[in-house]
Structures are given as structure tokens and as C-alpha cells.
């Protein structure tokens, strides 16, 4: 008995059942209607408790504790079996004296005169040797019934339990020892019957030729075996002095040491109920005459005692109406009402037995919310006890339901940072973390200096990111874990962050640059614009290289040269950045800028003007700041000039000019002036620099474009008192009056200087006049001659003496046509075939037509006043234009009506209009 | 789940050496720092694969307490393998090995493969029994030896699987009579059509879940 108490202390004890003596609901007195019944067997199910007595009566007690009874046997009832799924009661009893057990099957749904319908009566005798029945069991499928006998036989009744028909009976097992327990396994493919005897436990597979498996070499006493429910996998259970043993159909299962002599075993909702002999101590104290028993309820799954109490001489334990009913030797019914889960849990909480509470809640299919509530309470409890590690484990289980801030606030103390970290990690794993949580977690890591954890959190590749990347980067950056920040930034393509950290914190410019080089075009472009200046100041060479690439034919440097799109045959899209946007990057590094620009211009000749301008500026700047080295200076000037002269160079002329001027780059200025056709400027430039030779040259070179140059040169020289004027004068380009006027303005120029010039000019003029007059005279004579000719043609006869046709050169024959012009004569035949019309001489026609065209053209254009004015303005010699127009007959409106000859009288000199009309 | 063989194991050793934790780690892959005392015998099962063959391990985890010895002893019978466990931080558990071994040898069949396990190898700082001592003991008694940690799961799988390999080898060598179930070895249902009465795999799993 001492051992028994030891074993019981091993299991925790609770009282999860309320014990109550059943009262008669009618009288509200203790239920004592069973007082006088000599109880032989009890059963329960289908909403009633069934009790049989030794007088052959069966009593049925309903929920209201009303009793109905009927006489089942003449002599006595020894066994009852109530099916759980059918309202069928089986009884074993005797109608005759002697050992003569009869099995009766009662249908409790059909009553006849207060007696249920007895659907079957059969004798229970194994192999013709009468022997008392010890136990009876029925399979819930109503197809199998097994009866155990005192002589060690087990008889199987196969077929419908309710009727005799088609029933097959055989003895399945024989042994020397009485059968003490029988049970069908209610599940599984095979029909398994467990048999317990005094000295062994076995299973019989009725589906497989009654294959018998001995499971144990010891047995149990009557009433100490049962079939457990699904909680224990429908194992067969036997109770022995030393413990409780479980059996699978084919082998032993676990065993639990519960010592003490066992009288009865019952199974109720996963609880094992053991009725055992009371300890002598209590028995002695009891004044009751009845022997005291102890009833203990074990939770086999969670391993604790749910109830234990002494009862007087327990006859049976019945499970009905959701409670346990203990029928005591005092014929009283004791109800054991299981407490509800919440109450049980509260009891466990009070004892701070949270672990058990959790497993209990789980086994009772408690919902998630309830479980989390327990976790929270457990966590709070552990926290209160100072077990922060344990507490956090519990809190972690509440993630998703319990407000995270509740937990976090508890652990914000720096002492608890480990726990907090763990919690936050779990939070992230559960994907419940917010930005703040990420920040906090990373801060924890950094505070703890737990680089390995941080590594794990951040660096683990292929891991799904369960945190806000940007926050993580920020925190890492702040805490100085740049590598982590970089890793994150790179992995998640947060280029800006990557570069900021790389540049501002780590200052690894090379890496940053490489990173940019690996980016897609648009990103590379953006970032280089942003960080280019900084990169340029640190690693100009590489930056320049990258820029060159970016601005010409960019492709991320980690990309294969021939990528898929190339292979597909599609035209690779070349992206180029505009170089001008990067110029500002090169501030303070003109050498690199020069290099860059040169490269750009070389590779892309049609670059925007800004590039050229800038390059020019750089060149000029270079020249100015070049030291004494003449050669280098020349080289640079040459280079600059090359740029300027490059026909592709798309620089802005004005700006280039301003630049050249600012930097005093003579060659450039002059070239640009020339290019811009600013000849005056060239001239002035030379004048300003007193380069007389160049002045003259300029005049010579550009004089024909702009005669004003000469005038200016003249006035310049006039001011200069130098003797190069004759040269100018000899050019003979300026009207003498202008020359004189120009010189007259000048105080230094004396008449003597130009005396020769003037004389010469006058002489020339005179010659010209004379020549002109001679021409006039000649024209007049011509005109006169023509007039005479016309007159002649009009008045006198003309003799045609031609003997040959002017077309075919054959002697003329009649009929012939003669023209008055040369005179020309033709065969009429020839003329007709040759000439377009026969009113004009075909020989003279082309010449005449030409003249006529000229005249017509002149007449047409004479009315175009605007073009006349234009010409007049543009012309250096307005007079000749006017004269020309006179020649065209601007003013001779009259002539239109007069004789056509009058036209020619007005023709200007120099025009040879010797034409005749037929 | 069908299997080619079923091996029965038994885990023995002093109380508190971590027998139940070893089993829990092997069957459920978890560790429970606070564990109720094992009262009687508990039961766990897991499938492993050796040589491409599915082998079901049925493991009896016994109570280490002296007072339960009489009950647990009956489970030695019909075990093909035994894990004899001691705690490397408690020398007395090592000292009791001889008693355990005698007990095991006496109550089991002679071919039973016994693996000696020094558990709690994660508690290196509190080590009381040197690894070499364990090795020496194993050599002396013809056992396989291994140090494990049920907490960190170090060597736990190996301990169970190596034992199974040893048993498997013995079957191949014909040492075990596989038709005698008293040897703790059973041929799977699909390998012996005459023996269709087998426990369902689900049942064993449910059992292992409830063993703690």
C-alpha cells in the first residue's frame, strides 16, 4: 500500500469532478428507490440506466430518475449489455434452475404491455457443457456477439444479433481459466476480439480465420478490462495490481504504473476510472459498515488524476447523460459531473500549472483564441516569476493574436534584450512584423553586437524577406553595419541606398562605381548624375571611363556581351546618356572633362553644341594657363583651332566667339569672324591690333563680299598717316569722291598724298567718257542706218538675186519665196517643209526670236518696281541700274502706240540691236 | 504506411538520463525541457529507411526508476535493439550501466543489439564522464557507443538509425530468425501475405504523440 501511494504521487492530482449524491427530482430527497434491489448487473446507454436484480427483473431509470421495470427472467438476471448505437438490450439470465444461461435480446423501442419486445432467445452453452457466463459483449455493427464462460470458453455468435436466423455459432477459444474480459475493437478493417482471462491476454482476428495472438502471459480479474476510445487508439486495457496495460491487436502497448488492487475499470471520455480497494487507514476511520472503495479518474493522455474519492462498496460505475454515476453499496447514486474546461483551466492557472493547462486545452479541442489566452497568462506568470526566457517562449506562441506591443513593452528593458530579440525574430518569421518591429529587432541586434544573428537575419540568401527592407537598411546604416545595409540594398535593388552608404559611409568609391556600372541604363544614368561629382573627385579615371561608356554604348557591365536579345536577332537597344548632363560632374577636373569631351566628340560627331562649347572653353582656358612652354602652347592652339575648324563641330558660334575673345585667342577669333562673315569685325580686330598687313589682306580677301571694308581700311589708314594708301587707291574700287571724302575727314591726310591718285582717276574717267561718247556715236550711226534700210524696204523695190535656195542650196526654181531680210530665197517647197510658218524667214528666225525675247523680258520686268528698288539699293552704282531700266523702256509708255521702231531709239548704248523684220 | 521490417527497441537507463527526451526528439523532432517522470512504459514509432527499405521502429521508452524495474523488465522480451542511456554529467548513471546491462542480457534474447548512449553532450561544461570511458565500456561489453544530445538533436537520429543498421545487418547475416517474433523483428504486411493483422501506422503515430 505504501508503494501505491508512491505511484499515485507521481501523477498530479486535481479535482475536475463535482461529486454529488443524486436526488430524486420529485421529492428533492436523496434518490433511494434502489434501496431494496438485490443488484446483479448494471448497464447504461441510450439515455437510461439499466439495472438487473437477482429476481429476474430489469429496472430502467430515465433521466428524471423514474423507474420502469419488467420481468425478464423467471429466476435471475446475471448480465446486462446495452448497445450504444441501438436501443437494444442484451441480458443473460436463467429461467430454470441450474446452470442454464439464456441470452435474451430486447428491443427497447417496442413495448408490449410494459414489456419490451424480446426478439431473440438463445442458449449460451459452449460445446454442450453448461457453465456460467462470465462476460458478454456485442459488436456495435450487430453482427457479432461474444460470450465468455467460466470454463474458459469463448463462443462467437455471428449474424444478426437481434434474431436467431442465419446465425452461426462456434467456440473460438478454450482455456482452463475463466474468461474475465471480452471486447470487440470497434474500428479497423478486421474484426478483432480481445480476450482477457485470469492468466493471459489475447486478441482473436475473426476476419482472418480466428487468428489468435497471445499478447500477454498474465491476465486480469473480472471487470478489470475494457476497450478504450479513440483517445487511446482503441486499445484494450487491463488493470492489474502493479499497473494498467494497454494492448494493440498485435502487440503490447504502453503501460502505466498505478499500483493497488483493482476492482473495476471504466472508460469515460478519455478518462480511465479505476475502482480500487480503499487504503486501510481510511477504512478504519469510516464508521460505515460497508467496505470503502476508492474511485480514481485518470486522464491518460495528460497523465494526471482528475478525481479521486472514497465511495462505499462500489457496485458499478455508469456513464450516462454526460456524467459518471457511481452506484454505491448503500444503493445510492453518486453523480460525478465533470467541470467545464474553463473552470478546469482556471484551477490549473491557480496552481500555475500552465503546461498542463495547455495540453489539456489542446486535448479538449480548445479553440485557438483560448489557447492564446493561456499562453498569454502563462507568459505573464513566468514573467512575474522572473523567468523571462520561458515567458518569451510563451509570448511567441501568442503571435498573431496578442498585441505585439504588449509583449514588447514588457521587455524593452535593456536587460531583456535577448528575449525581446527572440520575440521579434519570431514575429518576423510569422510575417506579423511591422516596420517598427524590424527597426527594433535590428536595433536589438546592433545593441547586442550580435553580428552572426544579424548576418542570419539579413544575409541569408534565398530567404523570403519578412521585413521592411528600407527600414532595415536605415537601421543598419545608422548602427554602422554598413555591410549588412549594403547587402540588403544590393539584394533588393535599393540603388540609392547602396550608393549613399557606399559613398557616404564606407567611402569605397571604386565599389560604388562598379555597382553603378552594373545597373540598368536608366538607373545608372540617374545615379551617376547624383553621385558623379563625388566619384569624380575621388576616382576620376574610372568615373570618366564609366561616363564614356554611359554616354556611348551602355550595357550593364555584369551582363554578357551577347545576351539573349542579340541571339534572337532583335536589334539591341543602345541607350545613351546625354553627355552634356554630366559636364557639371567634372567640376575642378578639367583634364578629365577634356578627355571625356574629346572622346564624346570623337565617337559622336553630332554632339550637342554644349559639348563643343565646353571643350572649347577648356581648350582656351588651357592655353591661357599654359606656362612659358611655347611649343605646348602652340600645340594647344593648334588643337583648339582644329576643333573650331572641324566642320562637324556643332558649337555655338556666338559663344565660341565670346570665349575666344575672353581668352584672347586670336586665331580662333579671326576664324570665327570669318565663319560668321563678320568681315568688318576682322578688319576692326586687325585695326585694333594695328596689323596693317592683315588689314590689307583682309580687305583683299573679303573686299568683294563687303566693299565697305575698303572704306574702313582707308579711313583707318588715313588716320594712321601711313603711306600704304596708294595701294588702296590703286585698287580702283572706290569712287574717288568717297575716297576724297574719307580722306577729307582726316586731318593728317594731305592733298599731296592723293594728288597722283586723283589725277590718275580723272584721267581714267576722261578716257572712259571719251570711249562712251564714241560708242554713242556709233550706235547712232547704226540706228540711222537701220532707219534708212527700213525706209528703203518700205519705199523701194527689192531685187532678189539669189540663185540658190537657202535651204537646199539648189538653184532656185519656181515657185519660190523671197524674204526681205538678207535677202533669203527659198523653194516654196523647201520653205513649207522647213519653216514653221511662212511669214518669217527661217534663216533669220532664231536670231530674231532671241532679240524679241530680250525685249519682251525687259518689258516684263520694267514694271517690277520693287525689284528695281532692290537692285538700286544693292547696287554700288545706282546710276547704271537706272540707266538699265531706261533701256528697258520704263518711261516710254508712248512707244506702245507709235511705230515699233521708236523702241530701239531708246535702247541703251552697248546693246547691239541690229535686227530686221520681214 | 507499409514497411519491410518492424524493429522493436527498448530504451533503458537510470531515471533522468533523458530517455524520454531522446524518444521525443527522434519521433517528434522536438525537445521538452520539463518532462514528467515516465510512469511505466511509453511508446513511440517512426519510419526510417535503410538500404532503400522502409523500416518501422517501434520504441519502448521505459521508466528508469528502480521501483518500476519489475514492470519494465517484461518489455525487454521481444526487443531487437536496446538503447542503454547514461547521463554524461552524472557519474552514478554511468556506474549503474553494468546492472542495466546484466538485466538486459538476462531478460532479452541474446542477439539483441545494444547501443550505449552518453546523453546530454550539450552540457560539456558539466561533463562528469569522459567520452573515452564510455568508449572503453562499450568496447569491453561489445556495444556500439555514441554521445548524443536530445536537446540539440546531435547524434539522435544516428543512434537510432545505426542500431537499426546493425539489426538489419544481422538479419542479412542470418543471425536473427525473422519468423520468430520474440526476436523483436517483424516482416511487413506486404512481405508476408499470411500475416495481414498489422497495426495501422496512424495508430502508432497517435500513440507517440500522447507518450509525454
Amino acid at each position: 500500500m505504501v508503494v501505491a501511494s508512491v505511484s499515485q504521487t507521481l501523477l498530479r492530482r486535481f479535482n475536475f469532478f463535482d461529486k454529488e449524491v443524486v436526488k430524486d427530482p420529485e421529492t428533492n430527497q436523496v434518490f433511494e428507490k434502489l434501496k431494496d434491489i438485490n443488484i446483479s448487473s448494471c448497464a447504461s446507454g441510450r439515455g437510461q440506466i439499466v439495472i438487473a436484480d437477482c429476481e429476474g427483473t430489469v429496472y430502467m431509470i430515465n433521466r428524471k430518475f423514474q423507474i420502469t421495470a419488467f420481468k425478464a427472467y423467471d429466476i435471475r438476471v446475471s448480465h446486462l449489455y446495452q448497445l450504444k448505437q441501438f436501443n437494444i438490450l442484451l441480458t443473460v439470465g436463467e429461467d430454470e434452475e441450474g446452470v442454464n444461461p439464456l441470452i435474451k435480446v430486447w428491443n427497447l423501442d417496442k413495448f408490449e404491455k410494459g414489456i419490451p419486445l424480446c426478439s431473440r432467445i438463445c442458449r449460451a452453452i459452449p460445446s454442450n457443457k453448461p457453465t456460467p457466463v462470465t462476460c458478454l459483449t456485442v459488436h456495435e455493427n450487430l453482427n457479432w456477439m461474444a460470450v465468455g464462460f467460466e470454463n474458459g470458453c469463448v463462443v462467437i455468435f455471428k449474424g444478426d444479433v437481434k434474431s436467431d436466423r442465419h446465425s452461426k455459432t462456434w467456440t473460438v477459444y478454450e482455456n482452463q481459466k475463466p474468461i474475465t474480459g471480452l471486447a470487440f475493437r470497434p474500428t479497423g478493417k478486421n474484426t478483432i476480439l480481445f480476450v482477457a482471462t485470469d492468466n493471459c491476454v489475447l486478441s482473436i482476428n475473426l476476419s482472418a480465420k480466428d487468428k489468435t495472438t497471445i499478447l500477454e502471459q498474465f491476465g486480469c480479474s473480472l471487470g478489470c478490462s475494457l476497450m478504450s476510445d479513440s483517445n487511446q487508439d482503441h486499445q484494450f486495457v487491463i488493470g492489474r495490481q502493479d499497473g494498467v496495460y494497454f494492448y494493440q491487436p498485435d502487440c503490447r502497448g504502453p503501460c502505466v504504473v498505478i499500483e493497488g488492487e483493482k476492482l473495476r475499470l471504466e472508460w469515460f471520455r478519455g478518462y480511465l476510472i479505476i475502482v480500487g480497494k480503499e487504503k486501510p487507514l481510511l477504512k478504519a476511520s469510516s464508521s460505515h459498515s460497508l467496505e470503502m472503495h476508492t474511485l480514481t479518474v485518470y486522464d491518460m493522455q495528460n497523465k494526471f488524476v482528475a478525481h479521486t474519492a472514497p465511495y462505499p462498496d462500489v457496485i458499478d460505475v455508469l456513464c450516462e447523460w454526460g456524467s459518471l454515476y457511481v452506484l454505491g453499496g448503500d444503493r445510492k447514486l453518486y453523480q460525478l459531473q465533470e467541470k467545464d474546461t474553463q473552470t478546469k483551466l482556471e484551477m490549473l492557472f491557480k496552481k500555475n500549472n500552465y503546461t498542463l493547462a495547455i495540453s489539456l486545452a489542446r486535448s479538449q479541442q480548445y479553440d485557438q483564441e483560448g489557447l492564446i489566452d493561456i499562453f498569454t497568462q502563462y507568459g505573464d506568470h513566468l514573467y512575474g516569476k522572473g523567468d523571462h526566457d520561458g515567458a518569451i517562449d510563451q509570448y511567441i506562441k501568442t503571435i498573431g493574436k496578442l498585441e505585439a506591443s504588449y509583449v514588447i513593452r514588457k521587455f524593452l528593458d535593456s536587460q531583456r534584450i535577448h528575449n525581446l530579440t527572440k520575440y521579434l525574430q519570431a514575429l518576423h518569421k510569422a510575417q506579423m512584423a511591422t516596420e517598427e518591429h524590424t527597426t527594433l529587432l535590428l536595433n536589438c541586434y546592433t545593441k547586442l553586437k550580435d553580428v552572426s544573428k544579424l548576418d542570419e537575419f539579413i544575409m541569408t540568401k534565398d530567404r523570403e524577406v519578412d521585413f521592411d527592407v528600407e527600414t532595415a537598411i536605415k537601421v543598419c546604416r545608422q548602427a554602422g553595419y554598413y555591410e549588412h545595409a549594403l547587402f540588403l540594398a544590393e539584394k533588393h535593388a535599393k540603388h540609392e541606398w547602396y550608393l549613399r552608404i557606399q559613398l557616404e559611409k564606407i567611402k569605397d568609391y571604386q565599389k560604388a562605381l562598379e555597382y553603378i556600372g552594373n545597373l540598368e541604363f536608366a538607373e545608372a544614368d540617374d545615379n551617376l548624375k547624383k553621385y558623379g561629382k563625388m566619384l569624380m573627385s575621388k576616382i576620376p579615371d574610372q568615373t570618366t571611363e564609366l561616363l564614356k561608356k554611359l554616354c556611348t554604348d551602355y550595357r550593364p557591365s555584369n551582363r554578357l556581351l551577347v545576351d539573349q536579345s542579340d541571339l534572337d536577332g532583335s536589334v539591341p537597344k543602345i541607350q545613351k546618356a546625354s553627355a552634356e548632363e554630366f559636364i557639371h560632374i567634372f567640376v575642378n577636373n578639367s583634364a578629365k572633362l577634356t578627355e571625356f569631351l574629346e572622346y564624346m566628340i570623337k565617337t559622336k560627331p553630332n554632339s550637342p553644341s554644349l559639348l563643343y562649347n565646353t571643350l572649347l572653353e577648356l581648350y582656351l582656358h588651357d592655353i591661357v594657363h599654359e606656362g612659358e612652354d611655347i611649343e605646348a602652347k602652340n600645340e594647344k592652339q593648334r588643337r583648339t583651332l582644329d576643333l573650331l575648324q572641324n566642320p562637324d563641330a556643332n558649337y555655338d558660334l556666338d559663344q565660341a566667339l565670346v570665349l575666344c575673345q575672353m581668352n584672347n585667342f586670336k586665331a580662333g577669333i579671326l576664324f570665327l569672324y570669318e565663319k560668321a562673315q563678320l568681315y568688318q569685325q576682322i578688319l576692326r580686330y586687325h585695326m585694333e591690333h594695328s596689323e596693317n598687313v592683315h588689314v590689307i589682306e583682309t580687305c583683299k580677301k573679303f573686299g568683294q563680299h563687303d566693299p565697305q571694308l575698303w572704306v574702313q581700311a582707308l579711313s583707318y589708314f588715313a588716320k594712321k598717316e601711313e603711306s600704304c594708301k596708294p595701294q588702296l587707291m590703286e585698287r580702283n574700287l572706290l569712287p574717288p569722291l568717297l575716297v576724297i571724302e574719307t580722306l577729307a575727314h582726316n586731318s593728317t591726310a594731305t592733298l599731296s598724298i592723293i594728288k597722283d591718285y586723283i589725277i590718275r582717276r580723272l584721267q581714267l574717267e576722261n578716257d572712259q567718257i571719251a570711249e562712251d561718247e564714241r560708242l554713242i556715236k556709233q550706235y547712232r550711226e547704226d540706228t540711222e542706218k537701220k532707219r534708212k534700210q527700213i525706209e528703203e524696204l518700205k519705199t523701194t523695190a527689192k531685187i532678189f538675186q539669189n540663185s540658190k535656195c537657202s535651204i537646199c542650196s539648189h538653184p532656185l526654181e519656181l515657185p519660190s519665196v523671197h524674204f526681205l531680210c538678207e535677202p533669203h530665197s527659198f523653194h516654196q517647197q523647201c520653205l513649207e517643209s522647213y519653216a514653221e510658218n511662212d511669214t518669217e524667214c527661217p534663216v533669220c528666225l532664231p536670231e530674231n526670236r532671241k532679240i524679241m525675247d530680250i525685249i519682251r523680258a525687259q518689258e516684263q520686268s520694267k514694271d517690277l518696281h520693287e525689284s528695281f528698288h532692290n537692285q538700286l539699293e544693292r547696287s554700288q552704282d545706282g546710276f547704271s541700274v537706272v540707266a538699265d531700266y531706261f533701256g528697258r523702256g520704263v518711261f516710254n509708255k508712248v512707244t506702245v502706240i507709235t511705230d515699233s521702231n521708236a523702241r530701239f531709239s531708246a535702247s541703251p548704248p552697248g546693246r547691239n540691236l541690229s535686227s530686221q523684220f520681214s | 504506411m507499409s514497411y519491410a521490417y518492424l524493429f522493436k527497441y527498448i530504451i533503458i537507463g537510470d531515471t533522468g538520463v533523458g530517455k524520454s527526451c531522446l524518444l521525443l526528439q527522434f519521433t517528434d523532432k522536438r525537445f521538452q525541457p520539463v518532462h514528467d517522470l515516465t510512469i511505466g512504459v511509453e511508446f513511440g514509432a517512426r519510419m526510417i529507411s535503410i538500404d532503400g527499405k522502409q523500416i518501422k521502429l517501434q520504441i519502448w521508452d521505459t521508466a528508469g526508476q528502480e521501483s518500476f524495474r519489475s514492470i519494465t523488465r517484461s518489455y525487454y522480451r521481444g526487443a531487437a535493439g536496446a538503447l542503454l542511456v547514461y547521463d554524461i554529467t552524472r557519474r552514478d548513471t554511468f556506474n549503474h550501466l553494468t546492472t542495466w546491462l546484466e538485466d538486459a542480457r538476462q531478460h532479452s534474447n541474446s542477439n539483441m543489439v545494444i547501443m550505449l548512449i552518453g546523453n546530454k553532450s550539450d552540457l560539456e561544461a558539466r561533463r562528469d564522464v569522459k567520452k573515452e570511458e564510455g568508449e572503453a565500456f562499450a568496447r569491453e561489453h561489445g556495444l556500439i557507443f555514441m554521445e548524443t544530445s536530445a536537446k540539440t538533436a546531435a547524434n539522435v537520429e544516428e543512434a537510432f538509425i545505426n542500431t537499426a543498421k546493425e539489426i538489419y545487418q544481422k538479419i542479412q547475416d542470418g543471425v536473427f530468425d525473422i519468423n520468430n517474433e520474440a526476436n523483436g523483428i517483424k516482416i511487413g504486411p506486404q512481405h508476408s501475405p499470411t500475416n495481414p493483422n498489422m497495426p495501422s501506422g496512424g495508430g502508432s503515430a497517435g500513440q507517440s504523440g500522447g507518450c509525454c
Side-chain angles (χ1 to χ4, degrees), chain A residues 867-883:
Chain A
S867 68
F868 167 69
H869 281 291
N870 272 346
Q871 276 188 36
L872 198 58
E873 260 166 43
R874 269 182 305 171
S875 165
Q876 23 181 319
D877 186 4
F879 182 75
S880 67
V881 176
V882 176

Side-chain angles (χ1 to χ4, degrees), chain A residues 231-233 235 248 253-254, chain B residues 42-44 202-212:
Chain A
N231 272 335
Q232 288 295 328
D233 194 30
Q235 293 184 94
Q248 300 274 356
Chain B
E42 290 187 352
F43 173 80
S204 317
Q207 189 57 33
S208 65
C211 72
C212 41

Side-chain angles (χ1 to χ4, degrees), chain A residues 40-42 52-53 73 76-80 91-94 101-102 133:
Chain A
S40 64
S41 177
C42 307
D53 70 0
Y73 291 88
R76 75 172 146 274
V77 188
S78 60
H79 296 86
L80 285 173
T91 54
V92 178
E94 276 148 17
L102 268 182
V133 171

Side-chain angles (χ1 to χ4, degrees), chain A residues 580-767:
Chain A
E580 63 268 30
E581 287 170 54
F582 293 105
I583 287 173
H584 72 273
I585 287 169
F586 290 91
V587 82
N588 299 332
N589 197 336
S590 46
K592 281 290 157 200
L593 180 57
T594 311
E595 186 192 328
F596 175 63
L597 290 174
E598 276 171 353
Y599 177 79
M600 285 313 303
I601 287 165
K602 208 170 84 194
T603 49
K604 282 203 300 178
N606 52 346
S607 302
S609 59
L610 188 61
L611 294 190
Y612 290 100
N613 291 345
T614 316
L615 185 59
L616 186 63
E617 189 177 352
L618 284 168
Y619 279 164
L620 291 171
H621 191 261
D622 235 17
I623 294 168
V624 171
H625 290 84
E626 184 61 46
E628 296 303 305
D629 190 350
I630 299 297
E631 207 154 289
K633 199 160 186 160
N634 284 340
E635 169 59 25
K636 282 189 173 141
Q637 289 189 350
R638 194 190 53 72
R639 195 176 63 171
T640 316
L641 210 53
D642 279 351
L643 173 69
L644 287 172
Q645 286 166 351
N646 184 353
D648 291 329
N650 185 20
Y651 50 85
D652 184 71
L653 207 58
D654 294 333
Q655 203 177 342
L657 201 53
V658 169
L659 288 171
C660 287
Q661 280 167 347
M662 267 163 47
N663 290 291
N664 208 9
F665 178 53
K666 186 177 160 192
I669 296 171
L670 292 178
F671 175 76
L672 288 169
Y673 280 152
E674 187 181 337
K675 197 170 174 187
Q677 300 185 328
L678 293 169
Y679 307 120
Q680 303 249 358
Q681 301 292 335
I682 299 175
L683 194 66
R684 207 167 292 147
Y685 182 84
H686 286 313
M687 286 173 182
E688 272 165 26
H689 293 82
S690 310
E691 290 161 324
N692 298 344
V693 185
H694 290 300
V695 172
I696 303 288
E697 261 171 29
T698 309
C699 289
K700 278 185 194 159
K701 209 166 161 189
F702 307 115
Q704 63 265 46
H705 295 295
D706 185 1
Q708 278 301 110
L709 292 178
W710 290 108
V711 182
Q712 281 176 9
L714 187 62
S715 74
Y716 165 75
F717 284 123
K719 280 181 204 147
K720 281 274 186 160
E721 275 187 85
E722 273 174 51
S723 53
C724 47
K725 286 158 208 158
Q727 245 184 329
L728 286 176
M729 296 154 196
E730 274 157 24
R731 291 272 140 190
N732 208 4
L733 285 165
L734 296 174
L737 200 60
L738 195 60
V739 175
I740 292 163
E741 246 172 51
T742 314
L743 294 178
H745 285 301
N746 203 309
S747 53
T748 52
T750 55
L751 194 60
S752 64
I753 300 167
I754 57 159
K755 192 180 131 196
D756 288 345
Y757 168 70
I758 293 172
I759 291 167
R760 213 174 330 111
R761 285 306 298 241
L762 284 174
Q763 188 65 47
L764 279 172
E765 295 282 296
N766 283 339
D767 290 353

Side-chain angles (χ1 to χ4, degrees), chain B residues 127-144:
Chain B
R127 183 186 276 275
D128 199 15
V129 182
K130 280 191 213 119
K131 193 174 181 181
E132 292 72 29
E133 294 178 77
E135 280 165 352
F137 185 91
R139 228 180 358 259
E140 194 182 324
H141 295 89
L143 315 174
I144 321 168

Side-chain angles (χ1 to χ4, degrees), chain A residues 842-882:
Chain A
V843 177
C844 300
L845 182 71
E847 190 64 23
N848 287 348
R849 197 165 280 174
K850 212 188 281 169
I851 292 162
M852 288 302 280
D853 279 346
I854 292 169
I855 292 167
R856 215 172 289 132
Q858 283 178 343
E859 275 185 348
Q860 266 172 4
S861 62
K862 72 172 183 188
D863 291 333
L864 301 172
H865 306 301
E866 269 168 31
S867 68
F868 167 69
H869 281 291
N870 272 346
Q871 276 188 36
L872 198 58
E873 260 166 43
R874 269 182 305 171
S875 165
Q876 23 181 319
D877 186 4
F879 182 75
S880 67
V881 176
V882 176

Side-chain angles (χ1 to χ4, degrees), chain A residues 29-182:
Chain A
Q29 297 294 309
V30 175
F31 181 73
E32 286 187 312
K33 286 178 183 169
L34 304 174
K35 202 157 69 180
D36 302 321
I37 300 172
N38 187 9
I39 297 168
S40 64
S41 177
C42 307
S44 65
R46 310 294 302 173
Q48 61 194 0
I49 292 173
V50 187
I51 291 170
D53 70 0
C54 296
E55 275 81 48
T57 312
V58 173
Y59 302 86
M60 291 185 289
I61 306 168
N62 66 10
R63 183 131 205 201
K64 290 174 181 159
F65 292 95
Q66 293 160 333
I67 298 178
T68 45
F70 67 91
K71 188 88 173 161
Y73 291 88
D74 291 339
I75 297 173
R76 75 172 146 274
V77 188
S78 60
H79 296 86
L80 285 173
Y81 190 91
Q82 167 76 54
L83 276 115
K84 304 294 175 209
Q85 288 167 26
F86 301 93
N87 208 355
I88 288 170
L89 180 73
L90 277 90
T91 54
V92 178
E94 276 148 17
D95 279 340
E96 301 163 35
E97 282 300 333
V99 182
N100 212 352
L102 268 182
I103 299 169
K104 290 187 182 178
V105 181
W106 307 87
N107 185 345
L108 298 182
D109 285 332
K110 289 182 183 166
F111 276 82
E112 238 173 71
K113 294 173 195 166
I115 300 170
L117 182 75
C118 180
S119 64
R120 182 183 186 182
I121 301 174
C122 65
R123 295 171 70 86
I125 297 176
S127 49
N128 295 328
K129 278 175 271 171
T131 173
V133 171
T134 51
C135 45
L136 165 77
T137 188
V138 181
H139 199 289
E140 285 292 333
N141 66 12
L142 294 179
N143 261 329
W144 299 91
M145 177 162 70
V147 184
F149 296 93
E150 208 175 68
N151 69 354
C153 284
V154 177
V155 173
I156 297 290
F157 293 79
K158 189 186 173 189
D160 188 2
V161 169
K162 289 176 289 183
S163 73
D164 261 331
R165 276 169 292 167
H166 316 301
S167 181
K168 204 179 147 195
T169 309
W170 74 93
T171 304
V172 79
Y173 178 74
E174 268 190 283
N175 194 351
Q176 301 306 310
K177 296 282 187 177
I179 305 297
T180 55
L182 284 174

